[in-house]
């Protein structure tokens, strides 16, 4: 059985004065049915552009190469009309800030019912009833009354619950959550994550979770894709990434977050330097200028994908059999 989603050698660029920004550089990954996959990395690593391309939100002229296959159908260059049919019915999305996605002049219930009517061809009465059921499902109290209220009458956490209801209205096969809890306080963040986990288990929907928060990754994901400089640098299941990182950037991310379970508190280690300029990306590994383990070849040639195990790969020259062994790199990963 094939993957639900396959992204193959995707390249996305944006023209600017004097050239173009290479935002996504030869990215490949897959998502299986019922799987929660997290894509992590610093701002500017290409996470959001990648998923926006999947959603058809990036103009086709900016897609320089590669293809996207969803549920056995290539969707890379679908028309806007074809993508509108696909979005909502089969692919849902939850953005970071619901106030930029919800219509402030339209009642919440109608915004939910609109997609239901469009994709499921239900009557107004049936769509309204289903919208109220969805409000209850995502934990909105007094759903019948809330149906008639506007977005500004909801708290931030409740607005995000509404966005999840809209995204799940037609039971999509894939849900894309782009930093869904960043704008929320810690308590509400935990509630939203618990809600997403519960709904995913009930519906079997696959989820792509875009985040920079590794705590969220540990809580939600089964598999992790680490991006840097517009490229995938490591993939693996959660255990692989947290306990056995094979790329120095992944290790750097792990060392820069606190571990509340450690008996002795250690100083957090920031990743020195800045992400690469994607207007003129480096010739070799994009992380080489910030990497304490960089070798001469790292600055000269982009590393290939090294297979660590069946589901664990890393694009780092340290995994080449000819490279010096850096045992303390792995040991440091296990200390997290």
């Amino acid at each position: 059985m094939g993957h639900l989603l396959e992204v193959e050698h995707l390249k996305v660029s944006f023209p600017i004065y004097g050239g173009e920004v290479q935002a996504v550089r030869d990215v490949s990954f897959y998502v299986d049915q019922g799987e929660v996959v997290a894509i992590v990395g610093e701002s500017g690593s290409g996470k959001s552009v990648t998923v926006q391309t999947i959603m058809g939100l990036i103009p086709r002229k900016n897609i320089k190469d590669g293809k996207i296959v969803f549920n056995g159908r290539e969707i890379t260059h679908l028309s806007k009309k074809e993508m509108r049919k696909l979005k909502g019915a089969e692919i849902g999305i939850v953005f970071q800030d619901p106030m930029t996605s919800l219509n402030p002049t339209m009642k919440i219930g109608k915004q939910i019912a609109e997609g239901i009517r469009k994709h499921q061809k239900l009557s107004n009465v049936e769509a309204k009833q289903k919208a109220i059921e969805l409000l209850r499902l995502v934990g909105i109290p007094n759903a019948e009354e809330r149906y008639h209220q506007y977005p500004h009458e909801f708290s931030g956490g409740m607005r995000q619950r509404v966005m999840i209801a809209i995204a799940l209205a037609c039971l999509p096969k894939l849900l894309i959550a782009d930093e869904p809890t960043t704008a929320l306080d810690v308590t509400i963040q935990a509630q939203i994550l618990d809600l997403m986990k519960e709904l995913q288990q009930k519906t079997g929907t696959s989820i792509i979770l875009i985040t920079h928060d590794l705590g969220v990754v540990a809580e939600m994901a089964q598999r992790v894709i680490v991006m840097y400089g517009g490229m995938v640098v490591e993939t693996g299941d959660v255990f692989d990434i947290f306990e056995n990182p094979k790329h120095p950037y992944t290790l750097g991310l792990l060392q820069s977050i606190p571990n509340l379970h450690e008996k002795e508190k250690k100083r957090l280690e920031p990743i020195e330097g800045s992400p690469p300029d994607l207007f003129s990306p480096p010739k070799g590994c994009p992380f080489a200028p910030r990497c304490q383990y960089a070798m001469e070849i790292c600055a000269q040639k982009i590393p290939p994908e090294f297979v660590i195990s069946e589901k664990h790969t890393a694009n780092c020259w340290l995994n080449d059999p000819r490279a010096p062994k850096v045992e303390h790199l792995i040991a440091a990963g296990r200390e997290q």
Side-chain angles (χ1 to χ4, degrees):
M1 185 176 177
H3 304 301
L4 176 67
L5 175 74
E6 293 179 85
V7 177
E8 300 178 11
H9 304 291
L10 184 66
K11 297 180 182 179
V12 181
S13 297
F14 299 98
I16 61 173
Y17 181 77
E20 61 182 17
V21 174
Q22 299 176 41
V24 175
R25 306 163 62 208
D26 199 16
V27 164
S28 298
F29 65 89
Y30 67 88
V31 178
D32 284 331
Q33 182 65 50
E35 188 178 33
V36 181
V37 176
I39 303 180
V40 303
E42 292 170 286
S43 296
S45 61
K47 310 184 301 295
S48 291
V49 173
T50 298
V51 296
Q52 286 169 14
T53 306
I54 295 169
M55 287 293 294
L57 301 177
I58 300 297
R60 285 182 288 176
K61 64 182 180 182
N62 296 115
I63 303 174
K64 303 301 179 182
D65 199 5
K67 67 178 182 177
I68 301 163
V69 179
F70 176 73
N71 203 24
R73 176 190 184 190
E74 185 170 356
I75 63 171
T76 321
H77 298 291
L78 291 183
S79 68
K80 289 182 179 180
K81 184 178 180 180
E82 290 173 314
M83 278 306 299
R84 277 197 298 270
K85 289 181 181 178
L86 191 67
K87 287 187 287 188
E90 295 192 63
I91 303 176
I93 189 163
V94 180
F95 290 107
Q96 177 176 336
D97 183 3
M99 279 306 280
T100 62
S101 303
L102 294 171
N103 185 337
T105 67
M106 190 175 180
K107 291 177 181 179
I108 286 292
K110 288 188 175 180
Q111 295 191 55
I112 301 173
E114 186 179 45
I116 298 171
R117 284 197 307 270
K118 183 176 180 181
H119 293 291
Q120 297 191 14
K121 296 182 171 55
L122 298 179
S123 69
N124 289 347
V125 174
E126 291 171 324
K128 178 181 178 180
Q129 191 55 46
K130 184 160 185 181
I132 291 172
E133 289 173 7
L134 281 165
L135 286 172
R136 289 198 192 103
L137 182 66
V138 298
I140 301 291
N142 305 316
E144 292 87 350
E145 296 174 25
R146 290 291 192 173
Y147 179 93
H148 298 285
Q149 293 181 331
Y150 292 92
H152 71 270
E153 298 178 85
F154 285 64
S155 67
M158 290 175 73
R159 285 194 292 263
Q160 196 61 292
R161 287 172 183 268
V162 170
M163 285 301 303
I164 293 171
I166 292 172
L168 293 175
C170 298
L171 296 177
K173 293 182 174 66
L174 175 66
L175 176 66
I176 297 174
D178 190 355
E179 302 273 10
T181 59
T182 299
L184 306 174
D185 65 53
V186 176
T187 304
I188 304 302
Q189 181 184 69
Q191 292 175 5
I192 295 296
L193 292 176
D194 287 343
L195 171 65
M196 289 181 62
K197 198 188 312 182
E198 180 185 347
L199 293 175
Q200 191 273 336
Q201 290 169 353
K202 284 181 179 178
T203 63
T205 298
S206 301
I207 296 178
I208 297 178
L209 179 65
I210 309 298
T211 184
H212 61 271
D213 187 334
L214 290 176
V216 171
V217 172
E219 179 75 16
M220 288 286 295
Q222 297 157 346
R223 198 157 51 84
V224 186
I225 298 165
V226 183
M227 288 189 68
Y228 183 80
M231 307 176 76
V232 172
V233 297
E234 186 164 9
T235 64
D237 64 28
V238 170
F239 181 86
D240 290 332
I241 297 301
F242 280 81
E243 299 295 329
N244 191 25
K246 291 291 186 178
H247 196 288
Y249 178 62
T250 307
L251 179 62
L253 292 177
L254 292 168
Q255 290 180 331
S256 64
I257 60 172
N259 189 332
L260 301 179
H261 301 292
E262 288 180 339
K263 293 181 180 179
E264 295 183 12
K265 303 304 176 187
K266 295 191 302 183
R267 179 179 178 272
L268 298 182
E269 298 291 338
I271 302 175
E272 301 291 344
S274 302
D277 177 7
L278 296 182
F279 178 72
S280 53
K283 180 180 177 183
C285 173
F287 189 62
R290 304 173 73 183
C291 181
Q292 61 178 310
Y293 308 109
M295 302 174 287
E296 186 177 344
I297 193 173
C298 299
Q300 297 174 350
K301 192 174 180 182
I302 293 175
E305 181 181 86
F306 291 94
V307 177
I308 311 302
S309 64
E310 184 181 356
K311 290 189 176 181
H312 190 186
T313 64
N315 296 59
C316 175
W317 285 112
L318 288 173
N319 297 291
D320 190 292
R322 298 164 293 180
K325 303 303 177 186
V326 188
E327 292 299 334
H328 59 283
L329 171 69
I330 307 308
R334 290 188 179 133
E335 288 174 10
Q336 298 304 309

